[in-house]
Amino acid sequence: MFRTALRNVLAHKARLLMTVLAVMLGVAFVSGTLVFTNTISDAYQKSSAKGFDQVDVAVKPAYQESRGDQVGRTADLTRAMLDKAGKVPGAASATGVVSGFTAVADQDGKLAGGDWQSAGGNYWGTEDARYPLVSGHAPHGKGEVLLDSGTAKRAGYQVGDTVRLSVDGPVLTPTLAGIFTTDDGNVAAGGSLALFDTPTAQKLFGKKGTYDEIDVRAAPGTSQSALKAELDKALPSHLVETTTGKQLADDQAKQIADSMSSLKQSLLVFAGIALFVGTFIIANTFTMLVAQRTRELALLRAVGASRRQVTRSVLIEAFAVGAVAGVAGLAAGIGIGAGLRSLLGSFGASVPDGPLVISPGTVVAALAVGILITMLAAWLPGRRAAKIPPVAAMSSVHAKATAKSLVLRNTLGALFAAAGVAVVLAATSMDADSAQGPMGIGAVLLIIGVFILTPLLSRPLIAAAAPVMRAFGVSGKLARQNSVRNPRRTAATASALMIGLTLITGMTVMAGSLQTAIDKMASSSLRADYVVSMANGDSLSPDVAKKLAATDGVTASSPVRRAVSRIDGSNEVLTGVNGSAIGALTHLETEQGTFEVSGSRVAVDEDTATSHGWKAGSVFTVRYEDGKRQKLTVAGVYRGNEMFKEILVDNKALTPHLTHPADSDVMVRTAGGASSATKDKLVKALDSNPAIKIQDKQDISNAIAKMFTLMLNMLYGLLGMAVIVAVLGVINTLAMSVFERSQEIGMLRAIGLDRRAVKRMVRLESLVISLFGGVLGIGLGVFFGWAAGELLGTKIPTYELVLPWGRMAVFLLLAGLVGVLAALWPARRAARLNMLAAIKAE
């Protein structure tokens, strides 16, 4: 039986090619994902490990837990702690570390590093081992700065040039004193690092006289653990915590692995979808192969082969196909992994240098996925063939499904579909956080139910295309009859395309509806013409708000300051605003009382008011971060949204209690409204600072739209793999269907159907099957998009379902195009059949 199975594989090489490709694509996606994420993770881990070469023990502030009405805060690392750390037994030196956000502008005024990778810090003394100088000298005073060599090269700076940079708003113009190299992972990934002398860095980053971290080097012969023990004895344990350099490197490696794990899981989900779609194709292919060899298998049964041996022979074929596909998929996946890494550079992202990582786990996973998926998909056709009695197989009485089996299939499909719809509908009435699990389960049940019911659904839906098919004469009539001749095969072929279009349509519906909701929220709740913020989301210096308020044409402005407070035994966020201007800058619907923010009178969003049992006129006590208390009165309760949903307090009442006042953003309203001239005026008022974003409502909307568009394009690209696999399935089905119907096609040619008509027949059959899958996929996608939108609606009041009719029409056209392209080779093959040879075919 083993030799028989291998001969069958070699005898049907062309028929199995599409199956190999389908499996290979899925395996390539899995192995490519593993190679890519392992390579990136390894490069970052090695790069970050180098960054800890100069650290044997790190001393950091210990976080104090909130107790009673005290607001949690960190201890400060003082100069006294630094001196004590440097004098413990076994310590060679101690370095105070200060860091924060620093945006460096290039020669064109643009940000030289990424929004989240533009960092600043301190250069310790005249020679800092962490940052070897390539040229120049250590910085002295606020008028000098150092840049890493990568940033200096990208930005076009040389030693002696004036550098434009910003820490929290105002533009600084120090002289470039020197250029250094570093093993910092963010810099290796394309970020920027600017270094000041320690007093300047402490002042710029709001840490005067204190440090973020103290790095201690061990003397020769002293281990990291021994040095840590000495530091633990010398320093107050309730104020600081110590960590060895090895532990820091291990923790950093774990963080990198965890962050890459999320990306890996996301990519593997789409690989799983491609494999899931491929499973249908494999099962369909083996079903047709087994059906074509029914008499052959019956003969084997007649000469003594058992059912188990017949099933085993099919599984051996599947093993051989899966092994070949696994090896080919692994090779393709290695190429995909390398390509994805190179692709990051084209998007402006840099990755630390490192070798391509092909772990043994990747090799095992690729081969296991290829073989197991293929054998799993082939098991049912093999088992079904083995159960056919030899006499029945010889006479082909087994060919048609019995009424009992069809009733059982339709009943089972209806139960799955009904259960899926019921679970999804139940999930839409649940809380958004707890509904995600049931929603996913319901979606899977519904897709399985529709897949089982697809043979039943195919007849009425394909019959609906009859009027159009008649326009193509005999070819159209034959194509329609062929597409419903074997409903199970049509179902398996259409389902592969259905799954991909379901996901694509569902995400398109959700993204479009969410975009519209956020646009409405911005336009309805924001009266300000502009919102000014830092590029990386950090806080703005209060000087920015002062400059904007003094700019000609600005009629109203308000810095937005957020601070943690203690109310009724729990932490609550207070949002400080300009009480006299907030009404002109926002439009928030008031549920109770009046929207007033002045003195001790505050506005509270309805969720916060409900949680505390407040209403208009309620009085409560707040404890600020400086420990002082104040009684505040709820002037009004407003309907919150994603932009405003906290306790709004007048900045005049809040700011005196803040140690370091800083603004998350500044809202600005101008006399002439939003215009390019007005925006240019604001940009000039802020010294053309590259670290600051000035956005009007349209800019905010465009930024959100850009984010959604990027996300959707990535998802389209990933799901495109599943669609490619589905295309292969259509080609495979048609090619094998043509082979099965060789005799029939020969007879049609003999009675007058020309080659062009035969091609048209096959193309129309493919088109109908693809459009059938497209209609099912788009319909399910709209349903799932609506259901997910119901959950989003509980979080975003302005959410409403928006159907992207244009895109759905494009998806349907693409489904038709898939059918036309997939039929090219099978149609050509059918037209080229020799009619006499075909008529004599068995």
Side-chain angles (χ1 to χ4, degrees):
M1 295 302 294
F2 180 76
R3 289 195 299 270
T4 301
L6 290 182
R7 279 200 302 268
N8 283 327
V9 172
L10 297 175
H12 304 107
K13 293 186 289 291
R15 302 186 212 172
L16 292 171
L17 177 62
M18 295 301 172
T19 303
V20 171
L21 287 175
V23 181
M24 186 194 75
L25 284 173
V27 172
F29 207 154
V30 172
S31 55
T33 295
L34 295 175
V35 169
F36 171 66
T37 53
N38 288 342
T39 298
I40 300 300
S41 180
D42 181 73
Y44 273 113
Q45 287 177 13
K46 288 180 178 177
S47 177
S48 64
K50 290 180 182 178
F52 294 112
D53 287 347
Q54 302 297 323
V55 182
D56 288 314
V57 179
V59 181
K60 297 181 181 181
Y63 282 85
Q64 298 176 340
E65 295 183 0
S66 299
R67 296 179 181 175
D69 57 358
Q70 296 291 329
V71 177
R73 57 187 299 180
T74 61
D76 292 327
L77 299 180
T78 62
R79 179 74 197 195
M81 291 181 182
L82 174 68
D83 293 339
K84 185 178 287 188
K87 294 177 181 178
V88 300
S93 63
T95 302
V97 178
V98 184
S99 59
F101 172 73
T102 302
V104 178
D106 60 19
Q107 299 287 11
D108 297 325
K110 297 179 180 179
L111 199 61
D115 290 349
W116 303 96
Q117 296 173 318
S118 299
N122 67 312
Y123 189 87
W124 190 255
T126 57
E127 187 174 346
D128 194 329
R130 299 172 299 168
Y131 308 112
L133 287 173
V134 176
S135 59
H137 58 80
H140 300 288
K142 63 181 181 180
E144 292 186 339
V145 69
L146 302 181
L147 289 179
D148 68 271
S149 55
T151 300
K153 183 177 180 180
R154 285 196 309 272
Y157 287 123
Q158 296 180 352
V159 174
D161 289 347
T162 298
V163 178
R164 289 175 56 83
L165 55 83
S166 171
V167 172
D168 60 357
V171 173
L172 305 176
T173 54
T175 300
L176 183 60
I179 297 172
F180 63 91
T181 60
T182 177
D183 292 320
D184 186 287
N186 284 333
V187 175
S192 64
L193 180 60
L195 300 178
F196 310 90
D197 67 7
T198 300
T200 302
Q202 289 174 323
K203 182 178 179 181
L204 289 174
F205 301 135
K207 297 158 187 173
K208 191 173 182 180
T210 64
Y211 308 93
D212 295 309
E213 183 179 313
I214 297 173
D215 292 342
V216 186
R217 292 296 309 276
T222 302
S223 67
Q224 290 186 354
S225 57
L227 179 59
K228 180 181 183 302
E230 292 294 338
L231 288 167
D232 288 338
K233 293 178 186 176
L235 300 175
S237 60
H238 66 287
L239 294 179
V240 301
E241 57 183 26
T242 58
T243 311
T244 64
K246 183 180 183 304
Q247 184 62 48
L248 287 173
D250 291 343
D251 291 344
Q252 184 71 20
K254 186 177 183 301
Q255 289 178 10
I256 292 171
D258 290 343
S259 64
M260 294 306 297
S261 176
S262 299
L263 175 61
K264 183 186 296 185
Q265 290 174 5
S266 299
L267 292 174
L268 287 177
V269 165
F270 291 98
I273 293 169
L275 285 169
F276 184 58
V277 173
T279 302
F280 291 142
I281 298 166
I282 300 164
N284 208 15
T285 301
F286 274 92
T287 297
M288 289 185 285
L289 286 174
V290 170
Q292 291 168 12
R293 301 209 322 268
T294 300
R295 292 189 178 182
E296 175 190 328
L297 296 175
L299 182 60
L300 289 173
R301 289 288 314 282
V303 297
S306 65
R307 289 184 178 182
R308 185 175 296 178
Q309 286 178 312
V310 171
T311 304
R312 193 183 302 150
S313 71
V314 176
L315 291 178
I316 291 171
E317 291 182 50
F319 177 86
V321 171
V324 172
V327 172
L330 175 61
I334 294 171
I336 289 174
L340 286 173
R341 177 175 175 173
S342 301
L343 192 62
L344 285 178
S346 65
F347 288 124
S350 300
V351 179
D353 293 331
L356 204 63
V357 178
I358 307 167
S359 67
T362 300
V363 177
V364 172
L367 294 176
V369 166
I371 293 170
L372 290 178
I373 290 294
T374 309
M375 293 183 69
L376 180 65
W379 174 76
L380 188 59
R383 182 173 176 271
R384 189 184 298 134
K387 291 175 68 176
I388 301 172
V391 176
M394 292 290 188
S395 57
S396 300
V397 297
H398 67 287
K400 293 185 178 180
T402 63
K404 180 180 177 181
S405 67
L406 292 176
V407 170
L408 179 62
R409 179 186 180 109
N410 294 337
T411 302
L412 187 62
L415 290 174
F416 267 100
V421 171
V423 173
V424 169
L425 292 178
T428 59
S429 61
M430 298 168 62
D431 178 73
D433 296 327
S434 59
Q436 295 177 9
M439 182 75 76
I441 293 172
V444 171
L445 289 174
L446 180 54
I447 288 177
I448 292 174
V450 171
F451 170 67
I452 296 173
L453 287 173
T454 306
L456 180 66
L457 298 173
S458 63
R459 291 187 178 275
L461 288 179
I462 292 177
V468 178
M469 302 294 278
R470 289 196 193 100
F472 296 95
V474 175
S475 296
K477 183 178 180 180
L478 290 171
R480 185 178 65 82
Q481 291 174 347
N482 289 333
S483 59
V484 294
R485 176 186 296 182
N486 192 329
R488 287 183 174 178
R489 184 184 302 171
T490 299
T493 306
S495 295
L497 191 59
M498 176 193 76
I499 293 171
L501 286 179
T502 295
L503 296 170
I504 290 173
T505 304
M507 284 183 288
T508 303
V509 169
M510 285 178 56
S513 301
L514 192 58
Q515 176 66 57
T516 303
I518 292 174
D519 287 348
K520 284 185 178 181
M521 185 189 301
S523 61
S524 62
S525 62
L526 195 63
R527 286 176 174 167
D529 295 317
Y530 295 98
V531 176
V532 180
S533 60
M534 290 291 285
N536 71 329
D538 276 0
S539 299
L540 287 163
S541 165
D543 292 339
V544 173
K546 293 177 183 177
K547 287 184 177 181
L548 290 170
T551 303
D552 183 38
V554 173
T555 58
S557 67
S558 173
V560 179
R561 293 175 184 166
R562 290 184 170 85
V564 178
S565 67
R566 197 77 177 172
I567 300 173
D568 294 340
S570 63
N571 289 344
E572 288 287 356
V573 175
L574 299 178
T575 301
V577 295
N578 183 348
S580 61
I582 190 65
L585 297 168
T586 62
H587 178 70
L588 300 171
E589 294 183 25
T590 305
E591 300 290 326
Q592 300 176 28
T594 58
F595 189 80
E596 179 185 355
V597 181
S598 63
S600 62
R601 295 177 66 80
V602 300
V604 182
D605 70 285
E606 55 186 349
D607 289 342
T608 303
T610 301
S611 66
H612 288 279
W614 297 337
K615 58 184 179 180
S618 296
V619 178
F620 62 92
T621 301
V622 61
R623 186 180 182 90
Y624 296 106
E625 69 174 38
D626 63 354
K628 294 183 179 180
R629 293 185 176 88
Q630 182 182 8
K631 288 188 179 295
L632 300 177
T633 302
V634 179
V637 177
Y638 66 92
R639 182 178 296 175
N641 54 48
E642 291 300 312
M643 299 185 71
F644 302 96
K645 57 176 180 180
E646 293 149 350
I647 303 173
L648 300 183
V649 185
D650 196 332
N651 273 326
K652 292 179 181 178
L654 177 64
T655 303
H657 302 287
L658 302 181
T659 306
H660 303 293
D663 305 328
S664 60
D665 49 65
V666 180
M667 294 182 289
V668 177
R669 190 168 183 177
T670 59
S675 67
S676 57
T678 303
K679 187 173 183 177
D680 288 342
K681 190 182 294 185
L682 297 178
V683 169
K684 290 179 181 178
L686 298 177
D687 300 322
S688 302
N689 193 324
I692 296 180
K693 293 190 296 187
I694 301 176
Q695 297 176 298
D696 59 21
K697 294 178 187 178
Q698 190 61 47
D699 291 332
I700 295 172
S701 178
N702 290 341
I704 296 171
K706 184 178 179 181
M707 178 180 66
F708 281 123
T709 301
L710 177 63
M711 179 187 70
L712 272 179
N713 288 339
M714 289 177 62
L715 293 176
Y716 287 161
L718 293 171
L719 288 172
M721 182 70 73
V723 175
I724 291 172
V725 173
V727 172
L728 292 175
V730 177
I731 296 173
N732 208 11
T733 300
L734 289 173
M736 302 194 75
S737 178
V738 167
F739 178 82
E740 279 186 351
R741 303 202 311 262
S742 295
Q743 190 177 56
E744 176 187 319
I745 293 172
M747 292 292 293
L748 290 172
R749 290 289 315 282
I751 62 175
L753 198 68
D754 60 16
R755 289 185 174 183
R756 183 177 298 177
V758 171
K759 285 184 179 180
R760 189 183 305 122
M761 176 186 71
V762 177
R763 288 171 185 160
L764 289 173
E765 180 182 348
S766 175
L767 180 63
V768 168
I769 293 174
S770 297
L771 289 177
F772 171 54
V775 169
L776 287 181
I778 292 172
L780 283 174
V782 170
F783 176 71
F784 290 139
W786 165 82
E790 290 294 299
L791 296 182
L792 290 173
T794 62
K795 298 285 187 181
I796 306 175
T798 54
Y799 185 92
E800 64 179 39
L801 181 66
V802 176
L803 294 180
W805 294 106
R807 290 207 175 190
M808 289 193 296
V810 170
F811 295 157
L812 194 59
L813 288 174
L814 287 176
L817 182 62
V818 164
V820 172
L821 294 177
L824 291 177
W825 177 60
R828 184 169 178 269
R829 182 183 177 188
R832 295 182 65 185
L833 283 175
N834 183 290
M835 67 179 73
L836 294 179
I839 290 172
K840 290 190 295 181
E842 289 264 337

